[in-house]
Amino acid sequence: MSIKNDLFLRALKGETVERPPVWMMRQAGRYLPEFMAIREKYDFFTRCQTPELASEITVQPIRRYGMDAAILFSDILVIPQAMNIEVQMKPNFGPYLPNPIRTPKDVDNVIVPDVKEALNYVFEGIKATKELLNNEIPLIGFAGSPWTILCYCVQGQGSKNFDKAKEFCFTNPVAAHQLLQKITDTTIAYLKEKVVAGVNAVQVFDSWGGMLSPTDYQEFSWQYINQIIEALKDDAPVIAFGKGCWFALGEMAKSNASALGVDWTCSPQNARYLTGGNITLQGNFDPVRLLSPPAEIKKMVHQMIDAFGKDKYIVNLGHGILPHIPLDHAKAFIDAVKEYR
């Protein structure tokens, strides 16, 4: 079955479009009252692990705003959970891993699971979502980058600088690379299975790539993301998004990624320059800018599209939408793209 609104997929192929497609990172979730109603009844991982809930949450923003793509409601930390690493989601705190990985022996205890078994609930969630979407728009599946997953596994929680994660990599590089490879192997199997279940594209989120120097980024992050891209490129388009990684855009553009995400610290002109102007780019509206008045949001979105150019471009935020964004401001962002001529 072909997808009725394939604007997003056409932009990923670099085709000429009437207007660029639009979706928002973290669009399925915490800023929507209909999501909050579900959150009051079920804890975080119950929402992720129950296909009916995950699919309903995925389509909520589509019903309300009509984005050009849906992204499956899930979490990057389902991967370490499947790898025998306990992950809790603490209210008003975020992810918490009670037994962080700190030694080579800890790495030996990490398994590469059978994803079909360990993460079957995700694939069931995809199938349920595809039914609800009814081929109207594409569905995006995602995973965290191996480095970003390692950050949580070693740090044990969120951090401003992930100093313990970096220390582990710099003092135990052999063990660090073993862990990164285990995460990479699991992620490749997971994303391939997501494509089988029905996602039309995948995105790799390197949320903490910007914590590394350019040299360390190549060693501990990019080479593993590139393995994922190489493994998936014939199955589905891959979007690579590194927050704070503008310094790696030139290298990333040489890969077989279909698109690169850009955060708000890099101007559209610079992003085009650094990537050689040939690859589709996605981004890069500052999520906090959604607190500006709706009329100003619309103006800024049009300026952003003009700066990136309407082709080989996917309109998005430069990171996930924040919980306290007013609904009509999110609407202004989406509407501005749809009204672009």
Side-chain angles (χ1 to χ4, degrees):
M1 283 290 288
S2 62
I3 289 175
K4 294 189 186 92
N5 171 358
D6 63 349
L7 204 53
F8 171 74
L9 298 174
R10 285 167 55 208
L12 283 174
K13 287 185 190 144
E15 293 176 9
T16 301
V17 289
E18 314 76 68
R19 65 161 175 89
V22 58
W23 66 281
M24 295 189 291
M25 289 188 271
R26 288 215 176 122
Q27 67 188 20
R30 54 209 181 154
Y31 67 108
L32 293 173
E34 52 269 47
F35 172 82
M36 291 172 205
I38 293 177
R39 185 172 66 182
E40 278 166 28
K41 292 186 201 158
Y42 306 98
D43 73 35
F44 183 79
F45 282 115
T46 302
R47 298 195 297 272
C48 290
Q49 290 163 4
T50 310
E52 301 75 33
L53 294 177
S55 57
E56 168 60 24
I57 292 167
T58 301
V59 300
Q60 283 176 346
I62 310 304
R63 287 190 197 119
R64 190 182 268 276
Y65 299 120
M67 291 88 168
D68 296 306
I71 184 162
L72 185 75
F73 175 76
S74 185
D75 195 82
I76 63 171
L77 296 178
V78 300
I79 288 272
Q81 277 182 331
M83 298 176 73
N84 219 10
I85 300 165
E86 189 187 346
V87 181
Q88 301 167 5
M89 196 59 76
K90 289 191 170 181
N92 305 318
F93 179 82
Y96 177 70
L97 290 74
N99 307 301
I101 291 168
R102 298 283 164 84
T103 67
K105 189 170 184 320
D106 293 339
V107 174
D108 290 339
N109 294 332
V110 175
I111 63 163
V112 174
D114 174 350
V115 293
K116 285 185 191 174
E117 201 175 299
L119 293 162
N120 183 55
Y121 63 85
V122 178
F123 313 130
E124 291 304 316
I126 289 167
K127 289 169 192 166
T129 305
K130 291 292 284 189
E131 277 186 39
L132 292 177
L133 289 174
N134 195 25
N135 288 310
E136 291 293 332
I137 55 170
L139 177 62
I140 304 164
F142 70 90
S145 73
W147 158 254
T148 289
I149 300 296
L150 175 142
C151 280
Y152 286 107
C153 291
V154 177
Q155 199 81 23
Q157 61 188 70
S159 166
K160 284 195 164 54
N161 57 11
F162 286 99
D163 50 344
K164 292 187 176 76
K166 289 171 75 170
E167 180 188 349
F168 180 70
C169 287
F170 302 159
T171 55
N172 289 291
V174 173
H177 283 297
Q178 280 172 335
L179 178 57
L180 286 163
Q181 193 58 56
K182 284 183 176 185
I183 297 167
T184 302
D185 293 346
T186 305
T187 304
I188 287 170
Y190 173 60
L191 289 176
K192 278 183 172 283
E193 207 54 43
K194 275 188 161 176
V195 176
V196 171
V199 301
N200 305 97
V202 297
Q203 175 157 320
V204 179
F205 283 86
D206 195 10
S207 306
W208 307 123
M211 299 284 164
L212 293 166
S213 73
T215 307
D216 291 331
Y217 186 73
Q218 294 299 326
E219 182 178 353
F220 294 104
S221 186
W222 176 249
Q223 65 162 318
Y224 294 100
I225 295 174
N226 201 37
Q227 273 188 51
I228 296 168
I229 294 167
E230 284 301 303
L232 266 291
K233 67 176 195 270
D234 295 331
D235 302 352
V238 183
I239 304 168
F241 171 59
K243 184 170 177 287
C245 301
W246 63 269
F247 56 80
L249 282 172
E251 188 67 28
M252 293 163 98
K254 295 176 194 161
S255 74
N256 283 303
S258 292
L260 301 177
V262 184
D263 70 28
W264 64 93
T265 62
C266 184
S267 71
Q269 293 84 349
N270 262 349
R272 287 288 183 209
Y273 172 74
L274 291 167
T275 56
N278 293 318
I279 192 165
T280 296
L281 297 178
Q282 174 179 282
N284 71 340
F285 202 76
D286 181 346
V288 187
R289 265 288 175 190
L290 289 178
L291 292 166
S292 296
E296 201 173 323
I297 291 170
K298 288 196 172 185
K299 191 173 122 196
M300 291 175 74
V301 168
H302 288 163
Q303 287 169 344
M304 180 172 76
I305 298 170
D306 287 341
F308 274 105
K310 76 170 171 68
D311 293 327
K312 294 186 180 169
Y313 177 48
I314 297 160
V315 181
N316 207 318
L317 306 174
H319 203 222
I321 188 169
L322 300 165
H324 59 298
I325 297 299
L327 296 174
D328 57 333
H329 291 223
K331 184 177 189 306
F333 180 80
I334 302 297
D335 287 352
V337 186
K338 292 184 169 178
E339 291 160 9
Y340 183 83
R341 287 293 172 267

